[in-house]
Amino acid sequence: MQNILHRIDERPFLTDGGLETTLIFLDGIELPHFASIAMLRTADGRAHLKRYFERYIAIARGAGAGFILEAATWRAGPDWAGPLGLELAELDALNRDAIALLHELRAEHQGEALPILISGCIGPRGDGYVADRTMLADEAEAYHGHQVAVIAKAGVDLITALTMTNVPEAIGIAKAALRAGLPVAISFTLETDGRLPTGDGLKDAIEAVDAATAGAPAYYMINCAHPSHFEAVLADAGEWVNRIRGLRANASRLSHAELDEATELDPGNPAELARNYAELKALLPALRVFGGCCGTDDRHVAAIADTCAAHADRR
């Protein structure tokens, strides 16, 4: 864990934007069940993913930032094998292929001025917008432990759990990563009231995961919510906000329910989103990882880099 914290404290790190919304709405690709892992089933899909990440790597290089390559494994846990028409062994193989692609990208692009970390992305067992499948922490550890073990064996620097809707699942993933010997970042999604879909407050969620895991997460993040939805929550500053080191916000101000029904992409305004990030940076003194989520693409991340990460003083 300390090595990961040391790396991201050396300089800001960028990551990508909304992978799935970019593929679907901007690139016109059909993703079954919103699962970008399906791109690894064909050579063309794999090449498309590579070009996607290279756009963001170029932004990080220009900004003098590091880059976190986030694997296309968000919707690739065991329960998704059946809906995707795969055997579990086939899905495991795609998870390994997703990590192999990131190793290939790092070998081609990493340099002293551009450190690159490889992250194995773990998504919620159920829906990413609602807490529709809340498990006990032990059940979550057992379930997610399968994918974590596959990804760990493929070789990653950390595990990132994105769009966590509830505390027990976050605890389970943190424990699974700890068992695999990997640092983990836990990213919660928030509703328009700044609370988790379960109604838990962000402060309470972070403190509950830390208490249940002896502070196992290397850091926490917020993703899949617009800054206007949670800025007020962060204004009541306390020591807990120093546990938040990453931000992957939505471009749209729409609620999760509205986004779920949307048939067109709401890209918001990249410059406005970058200003929102700058305002949040003032509230989050430990913020070092910058990316996007639903509706964001390389334009948004480039604007965020210019505002928050470009040629920043390295600590």
Side-chain angles (χ1 to χ4, degrees), residues 151-195:
I151 287 172
K153 191 173 181 179
V156 297
D157 298 302
L158 75 158
I159 295 291
T160 301
L162 285 180
T163 328
M164 289 293 103
T165 64
N166 64 91
V167 169
E169 191 165 16
I171 292 171
I173 294 173
K175 288 184 173 180
L178 187 65
R179 191 172 73 243
L182 287 170
V184 61
I186 299 291
S187 185
F188 287 112
T189 186
L190 305 173
E191 299 294 334
T192 55
D193 61 359
R195 291 179 171 271

Side-chain angles (χ1 to χ4, degrees), residues 142-258:
Y143 172 77
H144 288 293
H146 177 89
Q147 188 185 15
V148 168
V150 170
I151 287 172
K153 191 173 181 179
V156 297
D157 298 302
L158 75 158
I159 295 291
T160 301
L162 285 180
T163 328
M164 289 293 103
T165 64
N166 64 91
V167 169
E169 191 165 16
I171 292 171
I173 294 173
K175 288 184 173 180
L178 187 65
R179 191 172 73 243
L182 287 170
V184 61
I186 299 291
S187 185
F188 287 112
T189 186
L190 305 173
E191 299 294 334
T192 55
D193 61 359
R195 291 179 171 271
L196 276 64
T198 54
D200 293 304
L202 180 60
K203 174 181 181 291
D204 293 339
I206 289 173
E207 291 180 346
V209 175
D210 272 349
T213 64
Y219 59 92
Y220 291 85
M221 298 174 61
I222 301 169
N223 83 289
C224 207
H226 189 271
S228 63
H229 299 165
F230 56 85
E231 182 177 11
V233 172
L234 303 176
D236 183 18
E239 183 60 30
W240 67 278
V241 301
N242 292 318
R243 294 288 279 134
I244 303 173
R245 288 174 173 257
L247 183 60
R248 297 188 62 154
N250 285 349
S252 173
R253 295 174 182 267
L254 295 177
S255 68
H256 288 150
E258 291 169 323

Side-chain angles (χ1 to χ4, degrees), residues 19-310:
L19 171 59
E20 290 82 8
T21 53
T22 295
L23 294 176
I24 294 169
F25 291 101
L26 298 183
D27 297 348
I29 296 172
E30 291 188 16
L31 286 184
H33 303 286
F34 217 62
S36 54
I37 193 73
M39 298 290 287
L40 276 301
R41 299 177 76 171
T42 68
D44 285 347
R46 190 179 189 280
H48 193 103
L49 278 179
K50 188 175 182 182
R51 291 192 297 271
Y52 166 87
F53 285 118
E54 286 176 332
R55 293 200 298 269
Y56 290 97
I57 290 171
I59 294 169
R61 182 181 293 108
F67 193 75
I68 298 177
L69 281 166
E70 197 70 68
T73 52
W74 177 75
R75 185 151 281 179
D79 277 3
W80 293 102
L84 292 172
L86 300 168
E87 297 295 329
L88 181 55
E90 293 175 311
L91 184 58
D92 290 347
L94 290 178
N95 272 272
R96 291 191 292 269
D97 288 346
I99 304 302
L101 173 63
L102 304 191
H103 278 282
E104 182 179 314
L105 282 161
R106 178 158 70 179
E108 293 178 4
H109 296 285
Q110 180 169 252
E112 184 177 347
L114 178 61
I116 294 176
L117 299 174
I118 293 175
S119 172
C121 184
I122 304 293
R125 185 173 190 176
D127 192 285
Y129 285 165
V130 296
D132 63 340
R133 184 141 190 195
T134 302
M135 300 172 280
L136 296 176
D138 288 348
E139 182 185 359
E141 180 182 357
Y143 172 77
H144 288 293
H146 177 89
Q147 188 185 15
V148 168
V150 170
I151 287 172
K153 191 173 181 179
V156 297
D157 298 302
L158 75 158
I159 295 291
T160 301
L162 285 180
T163 328
M164 289 293 103
T165 64
N166 64 91
V167 169
E169 191 165 16
I171 292 171
I173 294 173
K175 288 184 173 180
L178 187 65
R179 191 172 73 243
L182 287 170
V184 61
I186 299 291
S187 185
F188 287 112
T189 186
L190 305 173
E191 299 294 334
T192 55
D193 61 359
R195 291 179 171 271
L196 276 64
T198 54
D200 293 304
L202 180 60
K203 174 181 181 291
D204 293 339
I206 289 173
E207 291 180 346
V209 175
D210 272 349
T213 64
Y219 59 92
Y220 291 85
M221 298 174 61
I222 301 169
N223 83 289
C224 207
H226 189 271
S228 63
H229 299 165
F230 56 85
E231 182 177 11
V233 172
L234 303 176
D236 183 18
E239 183 60 30
W240 67 278
V241 301
N242 292 318
R243 294 288 279 134
I244 303 173
R245 288 174 173 257
L247 183 60
R248 297 188 62 154
N250 285 349
S252 173
R253 295 174 182 267
L254 295 177
S255 68
H256 288 150
E258 291 169 323
L259 287 172
D260 212 20
E261 297 296 324
T263 57
E264 295 183 1
L265 186 68
D266 178 7
N269 182 304
E272 179 183 277
L273 186 64
R275 289 194 296 271
N276 293 153
Y277 270 57
E279 293 163 0
L280 290 172
K281 190 178 178 186
L283 300 175
L284 295 170
L287 189 61
R288 306 296 286 166
V289 179
F290 305 87
C293 203
C294 296
T296 63
D297 55 49
D298 53 305
R299 297 170 299 172
H300 299 79
V301 173
I304 292 164
D306 286 344
T307 303
C308 298

